[in-house]
Amino acid sequence: MKNLRKQEKYPCLDLAELLPKDTTVFYDDCHFNEGGA
């Protein structure tokens, strides 16, 4: 997805890279919990 948006020059904000990597926003390694959503 990131490569395609770069190729097509679409703006993108990757929240997963900006948010803390802990259980305050994720319930496992890659899925947002209610607080993260």
Side-chain angles (χ1 to χ4, degrees):
M1 185 73 99
K2 289 180 187 180
N3 290 337
L4 179 62
R5 71 117 184 135
K6 284 180 186 177
Q7 189 176 29
E8 297 297 323
K9 297 182 175 59
Y10 290 117
C12 176
L13 179 60
D14 189 351
L15 290 177
E17 289 185 7
L18 300 175
L19 296 172
K21 308 286 190 278
D22 58 29
T23 57
T24 60
V25 291
F26 292 100
Y27 71 85
D28 61 13
D29 291 336
C30 65
H31 296 96
F32 292 115
N33 64 19
E34 190 173 322

